[in-house]
Amino acid sequence: MTNNDVTNNNTAKNDTASTDVTDSPTDDGLGSRISHTVHTVANVVEYLRFGGLDTGEEPSPYDVMLRTPLVTLRRYFTAETRTSPDRDPVLLVPPLMLSADVWDVSPSTSAVAHLHNSGMDPWVVDFGDPAAEPNGLQRNVTDHVLAVSDAIDAVRRTVGRDVHIGGYSQGGLFCYQAAALRRTESIASIFALGSPMEPLSLPGLDLPEEIFSAISKLGIGVLSRTGLPGWASANLFSWTSPIATAKQRLQYLMALGDRDALLPRERQRRFLSNEGWIAFPGPAIAEVMESMTNDRFVRGGLVFDGRAVTMADITCPVLIFTGQYDAFAPPRAVRDVVKGLPHTEVWECTMPTGHFGLGVGSRANRETWPTVARWVGWIGGRNERPENLADAREVGLVEREPEGGGTVRQLLNAGTEGMLAAPGLARDVVGRATGALAEVTTEAVNQVPRLLRLERVRGSTTVSYGGLLAEAYDRDPTAVCLLYRGRAHTRADVAREVDDLVLRLLWVGVRRGEHVGVLVDSGAVLLWTAAALSRIGAVAVLLRPGSDIAAELRIGRARRVLVDASHLDEVRKAGVRTHVIGGSGSSEKSGTAEKPSTAEKSSTAEKSSTAEKSSTAEDLDSIDASAVRTPDWYRPNPGRGRDLGFVLFGDGPDGIRSIPVTNRRWALSAYGAASAAALTESDTVYSANALYHASGLLLATAAPVAVGARVALTDSFDPQTFWSDVRHYGATVVPYTWSMLRLLLDQPPGPDEAYHPVRLFIGSGIPTTVWRDALERFAPAQILEMFVPVRTDAILANVSGRKIGSIGRPLPGTARVELAAIDPDTGELRCDGEGYVRKAKRGDRGRLLVEVDRGHPHADEVPMRGVFDAHDAWVDTGEDFTVDAEGDFWPAGRSSDTITTQAGPLRPREVEDALARVPGVAAVAVITERRKVLAAIATKAGEVFDSGRARLVLEGVSDAAGRVEIVEVEAIPLTRWYRPDMPALRRLVTRAEQTI
C-alpha cells in the first residue's frame, strides 16, 4: 500500500466518523483537529525519513541508445516514436550541476512528455553523476562538448534527419559549443534556456575588480582540484536567495498537514532542493570560468581537443529563452549571444519567471515547451513563427555597467595587483599609485606593477624571451598560449617543442652568443626556434624571405642558418652551415647525413663536428633528442639585459641595414607595450606581421609573453578574411604598421565585423586619415600609436588615444628622451655659447634625442657625447617632433626628407597632414618627380575630393606648400610593410599625368 492509499483510507474513515456524530458539532471539530494532527505527524515523519512525500508518480519510459564512459543517450517513448518516422528529433542537454532527470521531473512538468505529446521525438543526453562515474571528477568542458557532438551523430544516424538541440543553463552553452565545433553539421536549430555569456555575479557584492578577480582565481584554483559536490551546488543556489529559500521551506513545513495540496509540486520540490543536484567536475569549473570570464563565447577562441573554435560558425536558427526575474542568467547576459552569432537569426522568448521557471514547473509547461514545439514546426515549415518571439537583435543589447573608478577602489585594485604580481612590491605599488591617481586612469593604475618591473630591467638583469616563456609555463602549463592554422597550443606544448629543439641545436654545436640565421615560413616554427635559441643564449638572426639572404647573413654575422625546405635553395649559395628544420622531406633531398648512433650522441653536443658543411643541409628532425646529453657549460636562459637577443633587418637609403635588439630592449618592449595596452591573460593578440618584422617580434610576441596572453599568428594579412580570423581566434588586440588598417577600411562591412571583439589596434606610423576613419568604423576599438626608435631603449606611446596624430609620451622605465633645438631651414642642431645643444621650446620643432648608456655595447651608431652636459651620451634618431603644452609629442617628419624648393624648405609630412584633413581624402603621399613636388591623393569610395579646398589648405601651410601640385590616383601603392611604395607611386603618377 502506498502513502497515497493510507491518506485516502484515513480520509474515508474521518468522513464516516463525522457522519456518526452529526449531533455533536463540538466533537466534530475536535475529531477534525485530531485527524489533521495525525496526518501532519505522519507527513512530518515521512519527510524526516525520506526527505519528502511519496507521490507515486513514475518517470517517462526511455531506452538507452548509446552508452560511453562519458554519456548515456536516452530515447523516450521509443516504441511509439518508431512507428512515427515523421517526428522531429529533439535532443535535450542538461546543465552540469543537475541530473538529466531535469527534463522529466514529474508527469505534470515533464519536458519530454510534453514534446512527445506535441508530435516530437525527444532524446536526452545523460552525463551521469561525475562523483559516481570512473574519473568523473576529472572531466573538462571538452569532454562534455565532444559527448554532445557524439550524441548528435547517434541521433542523426538513427532517425536520418537533422536534430534540434536544446539545453538549460550550462546545457545551452554545450549546445552552442557543439554546434560551433561541428560548424552546424546535422543540426536543424538550437534553443537555449537561460544560458548566459558571462559568469554569475552574486547580488550585493561590489568588490573592486582585482580583489574580486583574486578571490575568484583562488576559489577556482581550489575547485579545479576538488570539484563541487552536489550538496554544495544545491546550497550555493539556495544561499544566493537565503530569505526566499527560508520562507519557502517554512511554508512547506507549515503545509505538511495538507498532503493533497503538496503532492502536485512535490517531485519538483525534492528535485530542486536536493535530489536533482550532482557534482560539478573541477577541471570543467576552471574551463567554464576561463571561457566566461574572458568572453570567449562571444569573442571566439574557444578550444576543444586542440582546435580553435568560434560560435560565428553557427548558421542554423537560434532561439533563446530569458527570464525577467532571472538573477543567475539576466536577460542581458543571455542576449549577448547575439554578438557571437553574426551569420544566423537569433530569436528571443521572454517569460515573467526566474531561472528555474524557464525549464521546470507549470510556467514552463504553459509557455516554454509549447513555444519549442511551435518553433520546431516553424523551422520545418509546418506552421507560422510563434507569436511570442522577438528578433533578439531588435530587442537590443545592454552593455554592462562600467565599474566605479574611485580613489579607494583604484588603490585596492593596485595593491591587490601588486601583491599578485610581485611579493614585496605592494607597498611600492600603492605609494606610486597614490601620487599618480590624479593623472592616470584606472587601467593605468592596474599596470603599475608591470611598469615597476619594466623600470628594474637593467643591463645586468637576467631576462630573455626563453626565460619569460619558462615563467609563463611555471605559472600555468595548461593555458593556451598560441593559436595557429586553426590549432591551439598550450604552454606545455610550446615548452616541449622548445626543449626538444634546444637538444637538437646543442647536438649540432650551437653555443651561447653564436649568431644563427633563421628562415622559415611557419609562424609557429619561427616562434619556438627563436625561443630555443634564446634558451641557449644564442642570437636569432631573423632573415626575410625574398630578401638578399647572403647579405643579411653577412651583416648579421651568422655562420649557420636554420631553414625550412621551401627556402633551402635560397641559402645554398650563402656558404654557411645549413640545418633543415620543420620537416624537410626526404633525406636525399635535404642532403641529410646518416643518423648517428645512440652511443655517439651520448658523448655530448660539444663533440659535434665543426667542419664547414656549406654544401649539404643537415636535417634536425633526424636527431634523436632523447639521446642528447647536454654539455657542462649549458645553463638554460642565461641571457642578460645587455646581451644581444635578436637581429632584425630593414631597408634604408644605403641598402639593407641591421636592427640589433638586446634582451633589455626586447623586455622593455614586452612590458612597455603590455602596460600601455593594458594587456591581461584574457587578451588574444592577433599578429598579421611576420616575426622577422619589428612589429611582429616586439608587439605580437614580446607583449603577450610578458602577461601570459594568447598570440594568434597568420602567415599573411588578408583584408577579406581578417574579421573571420579575428572571430575564429577571439582576437582582442591587433598590431598594425603604417597604412595596414586602410586595407580593412577599403573592404565593405560584413557580418563578422559587427560586434567584433577587437578592443585595441596597436602599432606605429598610422596616417591621421586612417586613424580617424578606423575609430569611427571599428568602434569601440581604440588606437594606440607608439614610437620605438631603432637602436635605442626609448618607447613613446599615446596611451589615452585622445590626441589623433600624437605619439604621446615616453613610458616610465624606458630611456630618457629630449627634444633638441634645430635650425628650421637646415635641420642642424643648435648650440649655445658654451657648445652644448639647446633644448627645443614647447611648440617649436626639434630633433628627438635618446639617452644611452655610455658603455652601450650594441649601438651601431656612435652616440654623441657632451650634448647637454659634459658626461652624457645621446643618439640622434633623425626624427623631428613638436611637444605641446601637456608634454605630448607630435611627429614632424625627418629632416633628411626636407625638400629644397625655390619658395623655401618643404617638409612632406606637413603637406600630408594638412591634406589629410580635407574631406574625402583616404590617403596622401608627397613625391618629387622631374623637379616638381607632387601630392598624390587617393579618395574614399563614394566621396568627392574638393581640389579647390585642398589648394586653400596648402596655401595656408607655407609658400612652398602652396606650390605643390595635386594629382588624384586610384590608390596609394604600399610596400609589404604598408608604407607608401614610392617607385610604384611615381609610375602611377606618371600614368595619371599622361591620362590628363
Side-chain angles (χ1 to χ4, degrees):
M1 181 178 294
T2 66
N3 288 326
N4 285 334
D5 295 331
V6 173
T7 303
N8 292 335
N9 289 338
N10 288 337
T11 302
K13 292 177 181 179
N14 292 337
D15 292 342
T16 304
S18 65
T19 303
D20 293 338
V21 290
T22 52
D23 295 333
S24 177
T26 302
D27 291 342
D28 177 63
L30 178 61
S32 298
R33 288 195 294 272
I34 293 174
S35 175
H36 182 270
T37 301
V38 171
H39 295 163
T40 301
V41 171
N43 292 340
V44 169
V45 171
E46 185 177 350
Y47 171 77
L48 294 176
R49 289 186 62 190
F50 305 108
L53 308 180
D54 184 6
T55 64
E57 298 170 329
E58 295 293 332
S60 301
Y62 65 85
D63 291 314
V64 174
M65 307 300 291
L66 174 70
R67 191 187 300 276
T68 71
L70 189 67
V71 67
T72 298
L73 180 60
R74 305 176 182 179
R75 187 182 191 183
Y76 282 82
F77 308 101
T78 310
E80 298 177 44
T81 53
R82 280 176 176 167
T83 61
S84 306
D86 293 335
R87 290 174 177 262
D88 287 303
V90 178
L91 179 64
L92 301 175
V93 183
L96 280 183
M97 291 187 289
L98 289 175
S99 77
D101 292 334
V102 68
W103 304 117
D104 189 38
V105 174
S106 68
S108 61
T109 60
S110 172
V112 294
H114 195 291
L115 293 175
H116 172 72
N117 294 334
S118 301
M120 278 163 280
D121 180 7
W123 299 63
V124 168
V125 169
D126 180 8
F127 298 117
D129 186 349
E133 300 289 339
N135 298 318
L137 293 177
Q138 301 306 312
R139 296 173 180 172
N140 56 25
V141 170
T142 298
D143 295 330
H144 293 84
V145 172
L146 294 177
V148 172
S149 182
D150 290 342
I152 294 170
D153 285 332
V155 176
R156 183 68 174 78
R157 284 194 304 268
T158 302
V159 303
R161 308 176 67 174
D162 286 350
V163 186
H164 299 269
I165 61 175
Y168 175 39
S169 193
Q170 176 75 44
L173 300 183
F174 286 154
C175 291
Y176 291 140
Q177 292 166 308
L181 179 66
R182 301 172 60 89
R183 294 178 178 264
T184 325
E185 180 184 355
S186 301
I187 299 174
S189 76
I190 303 170
F191 59 91
L193 317 178
S195 300
M197 297 293 107
E198 63 185 54
L200 169 68
S201 296
L202 300 180
L205 290 181
D206 186 28
L207 294 174
E209 176 186 356
E210 297 300 337
I211 292 181
F212 183 77
S213 175
I215 295 174
S216 299
K217 287 181 179 179
L218 177 62
I220 293 170
V222 173
L223 292 176
S224 66
R225 295 187 294 272
T226 64
L228 192 66
W231 62 264
S233 300
N235 287 329
L236 176 66
F237 279 81
S238 298
W239 293 338
T240 57
S241 303
I243 297 177
T245 300
K247 183 178 179 180
Q248 291 171 1
R249 292 179 178 176
L250 180 61
Q251 289 174 343
Y252 178 81
L253 294 175
M254 296 295 293
L256 278 174
D258 191 352
R259 189 183 187 93
D260 291 338
L262 294 176
L263 288 181
R265 296 174 57 86
E266 179 63 4
R267 282 279 298 274
Q268 177 180 330
R269 184 200 66 79
R270 293 181 64 169
F271 184 88
L272 293 179
S273 64
N274 187 29
E275 295 176 357
W277 298 92
I278 59 177
F280 200 147
I285 292 177
E287 198 170 340
V288 167
M289 292 303 296
E290 193 277 338
S291 295
M292 282 188 155
T293 303
N294 299 331
D295 288 335
R296 303 210 191 277
F297 287 101
V298 172
R299 293 177 180 174
L302 295 167
V303 174
F304 304 119
D305 199 25
R307 287 191 287 169
V309 174
T310 173
M311 283 172 45
D313 287 335
I314 296 176
T315 55
C316 66
V318 173
L319 170 61
I320 59 175
F321 286 85
T322 57
Q324 293 177 354
Y325 313 119
D326 192 339
F328 303 113
R332 169 191 54 76
V334 176
R335 197 177 300 124
D336 269 357
V337 72
V338 167
K339 298 177 182 178
L341 301 173
H343 299 290
T344 188
E345 299 177 351
V346 182
W347 298 90
E348 179 177 352
C349 176
T350 301
M351 296 167 52
T353 186
H355 192 64
F356 291 111
L358 292 172
V360 181
S362 57
R363 184 170 293 279
N365 257 17
R366 293 195 307 269
E367 296 189 40
T368 303
W369 304 120
T371 300
V372 169
R374 295 195 302 273
W375 163 265
V376 171
W378 177 51
I379 298 300
R382 295 187 300 276
N383 54 256
E384 297 294 325
R385 189 184 76 230
E387 296 180 355
N388 58 338
L389 302 190
D391 189 326
R393 289 184 171 84
E394 294 181 0
V395 173
L397 300 176
V398 180
E399 298 297 331
R400 302 180 210 179
E401 293 183 3
E403 298 180 354
T407 301
V408 175
R409 187 185 188 102
Q410 293 187 30
L411 285 173
L412 286 172
N413 282 346
T416 306
E417 178 75 13
M419 288 183 284
L420 292 173
L425 291 181
R427 185 177 304 172
D428 254 354
V429 173
V430 176
R432 289 171 181 266
T434 303
L437 282 175
E439 299 180 3
V440 297
T441 63
T442 304
E443 290 76 9
V445 173
N446 293 338
Q447 301 301 320
V448 169
R450 205 169 291 152
L451 293 174
L452 287 179
R453 187 168 184 180
L454 186 152
E455 287 183 339
R456 298 187 179 195
V457 177
R458 296 288 183 258
S460 59
T461 305
T462 301
V463 62
S464 65
Y465 182 28
L468 286 189
L469 281 177
E471 288 182 18
Y473 171 82
D474 291 338
R475 288 196 303 269
D476 183 2
T478 64
V480 173
C481 65
L482 172 64
L483 301 168
Y484 181 61
R485 294 180 179 174
R487 302 297 299 180
H489 303 268
T490 65
R491 294 171 185 170
D493 296 332
V494 172
R496 280 192 296 270
E497 292 287 349
V498 172
D499 291 342
D500 182 80
L501 184 55
V502 164
L503 294 173
R504 297 172 192 269
L505 293 174
L506 291 174
W507 168 249
V508 298
V510 174
R511 302 185 63 90
R512 179 179 177 180
E514 180 179 355
H515 291 221
V516 179
V518 182
L519 182 61
V520 295
D521 283 333
S522 168
V525 173
L526 182 56
L527 184 147
W528 52 61
T529 300
L533 292 171
S534 176
R535 184 73 50 85
I536 295 172
V539 179
V541 180
L542 303 183
L543 307 173
R544 300 176 298 172
S547 185
D548 187 339
I549 300 301
E552 291 187 351
L553 285 169
R554 184 179 66 256
I555 296 171
R557 295 179 294 166
R559 295 188 176 182
R560 77 168 78 218
V561 61
L562 307 176
V563 62
D564 60 20
S566 63
H567 295 291
L568 192 55
D569 290 339
E570 295 181 57
V571 302
R572 285 191 186 276
K573 300 177 182 179
V576 297
R577 188 173 178 181
T578 303
H579 307 283
V580 180
I581 191 173
S584 60
S586 67
S587 59
E588 179 180 353
K589 178 179 178 180
S590 60
T592 304
E594 184 178 350
K595 185 177 180 179
S597 66
T598 301
E600 290 172 332
K601 290 181 181 180
S602 62
S603 62
T604 82
E606 266 195 283
K607 294 183 180 180
S608 64
S609 172
T610 57
E612 288 295 321
K613 298 181 180 180
S614 59
S615 61
T616 62
E618 301 167 275
D619 187 359
L620 289 183
D621 292 342
S622 69
I623 299 173
D624 182 5
S626 63
V628 176
R629 194 179 74 192
T630 58
D632 292 339
W633 59 262
Y634 173 69
R635 298 291 184 274
N637 306 312
R640 295 185 178 275
R642 67 172 66 91
D643 295 337
L644 191 61
F646 306 90
V647 176
L648 307 178
F649 297 95
D651 295 316
D654 300 325
I656 298 173
R657 59 188 175 89
S658 66
I659 305 174
V661 180
T662 63
N663 288 324
R664 181 174 189 269
R665 187 187 177 209
W666 181 90
L668 290 176
S669 298
Y671 294 119
S675 298
L679 285 182
T680 68
E681 290 185 348
S682 67
D683 280 306
T684 298
V685 180
Y686 177 80
S687 176
N689 292 319
L691 301 188
Y692 51 78
H693 185 269
S695 171
L697 178 68
L698 302 180
L699 294 180
T701 60
V705 169
V707 299
R710 294 178 177 184
V711 60
L713 300 180
T714 182
D715 293 321
S716 61
F717 174 64
D718 185 348
Q720 295 183 339
T721 62
F722 172 82
W723 290 113
S724 176
D725 290 343
V726 162
R727 284 192 175 273
H728 188 71
Y729 296 125
T732 57
V733 177
V734 177
Y736 64 82
T737 57
W738 294 86
S739 297
M740 189 179 88
L741 298 187
R742 170 54 61 191
L743 302 182
L744 292 181
L745 292 167
D746 289 341
Q747 296 294 314
D752 284 319
E753 185 181 322
Y755 302 116
H756 64 78
V758 176
R759 67 173 182 84
L760 185 70
F761 293 99
I762 178 173
S764 62
I766 185 172
T768 55
T769 53
V770 178
W771 192 332
R772 292 192 188 93
D773 293 345
L775 286 177
E776 180 180 355
R777 166 94 172 257
F778 305 138
Q782 297 296 307
I783 303 290
L784 174 56
E785 175 74 356
M786 302 182 69
F787 180 69
V788 185
V790 296
R791 301 180 180 85
T792 74
D793 293 333
I795 302 176
L796 293 88
N798 185 344
V799 178
S800 70
R802 291 183 293 106
K803 300 178 180 180
I804 296 177
S806 169
I807 62 166
R809 310 174 191 179
L811 291 180
T814 61
R816 178 185 167 200
V817 301
E818 287 289 355
L819 212 59
I822 59 174
D823 185 284
D825 295 327
T826 65
E828 297 293 330
L829 298 180
R830 283 186 166 180
C831 298
D832 59 20
E834 298 180 356
Y836 292 117
V837 174
R838 294 178 180 175
K839 294 181 181 180
K841 297 179 181 179
R842 289 289 175 93
D844 289 347
R845 186 185 299 115
R847 180 74 43 74
L848 184 69
L849 306 183
V850 180
E851 188 175 31
V852 297
D853 186 345
R854 295 186 63 187
H856 197 292
H858 295 297
D860 288 356
E861 298 179 11
V862 178
M864 300 183 297
R865 302 181 185 276
V867 178
F868 299 112
D869 63 54
H871 304 289
D872 62 7
W874 298 79
V875 167
D876 185 348
T877 65
E879 300 282 349
D880 295 346
F881 293 86
T882 59
V883 178
D884 62 23
E886 295 178 333
D888 291 302
F889 285 69
W890 295 80
R894 297 180 65 88
S895 291
S896 59
D897 293 337
T898 301
I899 303 171
T900 302
T901 71
Q902 293 180 349
L906 176 68
R907 289 178 173 265
R909 180 68 185 243
E910 292 180 337
V911 174
E912 293 167 355
D913 287 346
L915 290 176
R917 292 190 290 268
V918 176
V921 173
V924 56
V926 174
I927 62 173
T928 56
E929 184 71 11
R930 297 188 300 275
R931 297 185 178 182
K932 294 189 300 184
V933 181
L934 305 173
I937 297 289
T939 58
K940 299 177 183 177
E943 297 191 27
V944 178
F945 171 64
D946 188 344
S947 58
R949 181 172 178 177
R951 175 57 54 197
L952 293 175
V953 167
L954 290 181
E955 291 173 354
V957 173
S958 66
D959 290 341
R963 299 185 184 186
V964 172
E965 296 184 20
I966 299 175
V967 180
E968 291 189 55
V969 296
E970 292 184 2
I972 303 295
L974 303 175
T975 67
R976 61 177 173 173
W977 304 125
Y978 312 107
R979 290 172 178 258
D981 186 338
M982 293 306 183
L985 180 58
R986 287 189 177 92
R987 292 192 295 270
L988 191 64
V989 168
T990 299
R991 288 196 297 268
E993 288 182 318
Q994 291 174 349
T995 301
I996 294 174

